[in-house]
Structure formats: C-alpha cells, structure tokens
Amino acid sequence: MLMALPFGMLFGVLATEAGLSVVQTMSFSAAVFAGAAQFTALHLLNDNAPTIVAILSALAVNLRVAMYSASLTPYLGAAPLWQRVFAAYFTIDQSYACSMMQFEKEPRMKVSERLRYFFGVVSPLTPAWLVATYLGAVVGTRIPESWGLDFALPITFLAMIGPMLRTPAHVVAALVAIVVALLSTTVPFNLGLLIAGCAGMMAGARCEVILDRRRAAA
C-alpha cells in the first residue's frame, strides 16, 4: 500500500506532463492496471514512437504476468471461469507475491479460500492505485522533485522479492534472472526481462531437482 501510493502518483504526474487529460490518465490506469507496462508505453508514446511499438513493448514487459499465471494455476486453476477472469485482471506483482507466499505456507487451503485471500490482497491495492493516479494527475507538476517519487518502483519489487527468497532454489532463480537481465539490456522491446525470467525459472527448477536428488540419496 505504501509503495502503491507514490508509484501511482508518479504515473499520474508523468501522464499529465505527457499531454494526457485526467480522464485519459485514469482510463489508462483502469484499463491496463499494470504500472511497469504503463510507464513503458507512456515513455515510448512521449518519445513519439509508433503506437504498435508502444503496445508491443508494454506487452513484453507484462509477459511476466503470464509466468505469474502459470505459477498460480495449480492453486486457482480449479475455480470457475468467471472467477479466473477477474483473478487474471487483478494479477499484479503484489497480489502474486503475497498470495504465493500464503499458498505455499498453507497448502491445505481450499480453492475458495485461496480466492478470498487473493482478492483480499488486491481489494485495498486497487482503489489506492487509482486514487494515487488521480491525485498525481490533478496535482501534476506541483509535486516537488525533491519528494523523489521514482523511488517507489525499485523499493516495491525489493520489498516483494526479499521475503520470497526462502530456499536455495529461490536464491538461484533470482541471481540467474538478475545476471541475464543485466546481460540482455540491449534486447529490443524490453524482451530481455522475459528472457531473464525464463532463465531464472529454469535455473531454480534445476536447482530444486539437484537438491531433491541429494536429499533422496542422503
């Protein structure tokens, strides 16, 4: 919640500075509901990049959500379609991280209980994001630069990732993803993030297999 507020305000400020109206800014946040993708698209559109390039780049950044979905499927896949549709819309970094930690900690939870927990996470986040976006769009350039709202993005991800590094496989996955992301910064359309995510998942899975074999042998 604390990170969503400055993050949303920053997007509202930058969107209005780029020439979007308050209505357009709010529609952007409500329709996309993905901060990193919104910033990516806004930056490219502000640089007069072709619309298709902005859309594809935002999709590339948001492809990590496909990884989140695959990871959530064993826990939420048995839910009715209409519930999964809403869950898909509200699958963001925070809802994924908090829910996965809870689902792994309480594997005996029923699907209905998992859904209630998942939507309980996003219930306060969604209005906070939209209200913060509105405040940023209305206040605009009157927010002093000394407030440093741009700190919210890296702090948000660090706060989510830290508690999830509970096993050697998690640590290996994170380290490999970091290294590959740094090495693939020149890949166009931010696809380096997707490549890094895949590499991290494969490394983490391989680490788990090796550790399981060692435990079985012991």
Side-chain angles (χ1 to χ4, degrees):
M1 284 288 291
L2 291 174
M3 295 302 103
L5 293 174
F7 197 9
M9 287 184 69
L10 180 62
F11 176 76
V13 170
L14 295 179
T16 51
E17 287 182 349
L20 297 182
S21 68
V22 175
V23 173
Q24 290 171 327
T25 301
M26 295 304 298
S27 299
F28 201 160
S29 273
V32 180
F33 194 54
Q38 290 176 223
F39 278 99
T40 299
L42 183 65
H43 174 73
L44 291 170
L45 291 173
N46 202 32
D47 288 344
N48 297 315
T51 302
I52 187 64
V53 172
I55 292 174
L56 291 175
S57 297
L59 285 173
V61 170
N62 248 22
L63 280 175
R64 73 187 188 285
V65 180
M67 302 178 193
Y68 295 168
S69 300
S71 182
L72 285 169
T73 296
Y75 300 101
L76 304 180
L81 176 61
W82 69 272
Q83 292 179 340
R84 285 183 280 127
V85 168
F86 280 104
Y89 173 76
F90 287 111
T91 298
I92 56 176
D93 302 297
Q94 291 91 333
S95 64
Y96 171 76
C98 292
S99 296
M100 283 301 296
M101 284 190 287
Q102 178 66 18
F103 298 163
E104 291 178 354
K105 187 171 64 176
E106 299 289 345
R108 295 183 180 180
M109 291 177 70
K110 298 178 182 178
V111 174
S112 59
E113 294 172 333
R114 292 170 185 156
L115 282 167
R116 285 198 295 271
Y117 186 91
F118 179 88
F119 287 114
V121 172
V122 295
S123 292
L125 280 170
T126 305
W129 170 255
L130 295 176
V131 169
T133 300
Y134 177 77
L135 291 176
V138 172
V139 176
T141 55
R142 284 174 285 182
I143 297 179
E145 290 185 10
S146 59
W147 284 19
L149 294 179
D150 53 349
F151 84 99
L153 183 58
I155 293 297
T156 297
F157 284 97
L158 287 173
M160 289 187 296
I161 291 171
M164 299 187 75
L165 302 179
R166 300 188 306 276
T167 69
H170 290 141
V171 175
V172 168
L175 291 177
V176 170
I178 290 169
V179 172
V180 175
L182 292 174
L183 293 175
S184 58
T185 53
T186 57
V187 178
F189 305 129
N190 291 304
L191 288 174
L193 292 176
L194 181 62
I195 296 171
C198 292
M201 287 191 295
M202 289 188 290
R206 185 60 185 168
C207 180
E208 279 193 343
V209 170
I210 294 173
L211 291 176
D212 287 342
R213 287 176 178 172
R214 288 181 178 176
R215 282 192 289 265

